[in-house]
Amino acid sequence: MPNLKQRITLIPQSRQWLNQMATEHHYMHRPIHAKSVPFGWGIAFDGEEIQPDGAPSGFIAFASIHYTKLSGVFGYENLPTKWQVLSLSRLWLHDNLPRNSETVTIAKALKLVQARWLEVHPPRFPDQPYHIRTIISYADTRYHLGTIYRAANFREDGRTISAKRHINSRGEGMDGAELIRFVYDLPEPRWVYNPTAGLPLFEAE
């Protein structure tokens, strides 16, 4: 029997597909705003993207953030800039997938996210830092406490209250919800972005 890492495969999906899945299946039931440039992957489990009940095996989506700085994390001297930070915006896996599938999915995505981001959003100022260095995600305490993030080696960085403007497709508000913020630090890649014709998109430094 293959191990869990071998049984889970990430398949790049369109923004439209990810937002449809987020609206239908994720507990927030709302899409990621287009201005956040959402991107990500669908999940195939044992090669199957669709489970017997017709629902997808799962998906994971990332997006850019809307604020410019966070004390101790980014936007200040000697820390990554806003342009080097992404949010792990949505993660949903079918109940048929075994325990620890979320952790494996996150780990696989974190290994791909730096290069994939530059494929969907090439750096506008290549002379400025552009490698993604930080991933931020939030756990809505009404639904979960971030156990999967801790298992994936994210660190808890604080708590905040959800903004009133967050309304999902069911008309449910999130104002007043307590959110736990989690942070993951990515290593500096040993490659540079290179879109020059005739050369690979990424090449070793």
Side-chain angles (χ1 to χ4, degrees):
M1 172 68 71
N3 62 39
L4 190 54
K5 290 182 180 179
Q6 295 171 320
R7 301 177 74 186
I8 291 176
T9 305
L10 272 58
I11 302 171
Q13 294 287 358
S14 69
R15 179 185 311 173
Q16 292 75 17
W17 185 91
L18 290 165
N19 271 337
Q20 180 182 349
M21 296 301 104
T23 303
E24 292 179 3
H25 300 288
H26 192 267
Y27 67 78
M28 293 176 70
H29 296 290
R30 62 186 178 88
I32 307 167
H33 199 289
K35 289 185 178 180
S36 296
V37 197
F39 70 101
W41 297 266
I43 308 301
F45 183 69
D46 289 340
E48 299 294 334
E49 297 179 54
I50 303 297
Q51 291 297 300
D53 63 358
S57 295
F59 65 92
I60 184 169
F62 295 81
S64 62
I65 55 173
H66 62 272
Y67 46 102
T68 60
K69 59 180 64 177
L70 179 62
S71 180
V73 179
F74 72 92
Y76 292 89
E77 187 175 0
N78 298 321
L79 290 174
T81 72
K82 173 191 184 301
W83 309 109
Q84 294 180 282
V85 181
L86 291 174
S87 167
L88 198 174
S89 297
R90 303 286 192 279
L91 171 63
W92 179 87
L93 300 183
H94 197 285
D95 289 341
N96 286 353
L97 273 64
R99 185 179 178 182
N100 297 325
S101 293
E102 293 90 350
T103 303
V104 170
T105 297
I106 292 172
K108 284 177 170 281
L110 291 176
K111 290 181 179 180
L112 301 172
V113 70
Q114 290 171 315
R116 182 60 180 156
W117 169 245
L118 296 181
E119 290 174 347
V120 301
H121 191 273
R124 296 178 181 177
F125 304 101
D127 57 327
Q128 299 294 319
Y130 55 79
H131 286 130
I132 296 300
R133 297 298 309 279
T134 301
I135 303 295
I136 296 176
S137 195
Y138 290 88
D140 186 332
T141 58
R142 298 174 300 174
Y143 300 97
H144 66 107
L145 298 176
T147 301
I148 60 173
Y149 299 130
R150 295 185 179 91
N153 295 318
F154 281 65
R155 68 178 187 275
E156 183 175 337
D157 184 65
R159 302 196 178 207
T160 187
I161 302 299
S162 177
K164 293 182 179 180
R165 64 179 177 273
H166 290 166
I167 303 295
N168 65 28
S169 62
R170 300 180 179 182
E172 301 164 338
M174 292 179 62
D175 44 311
E178 183 182 37
L179 307 177
I180 307 174
R181 183 172 56 248
F182 290 91
V183 176
Y184 186 91
D185 298 312
L186 290 162
E188 180 78 28
R190 296 184 178 181
W191 46 261
V192 294
Y193 176 76
N194 190 342
T196 305
L199 293 175
L201 187 62
F202 309 106
E203 63 179 6
E205 289 185 299

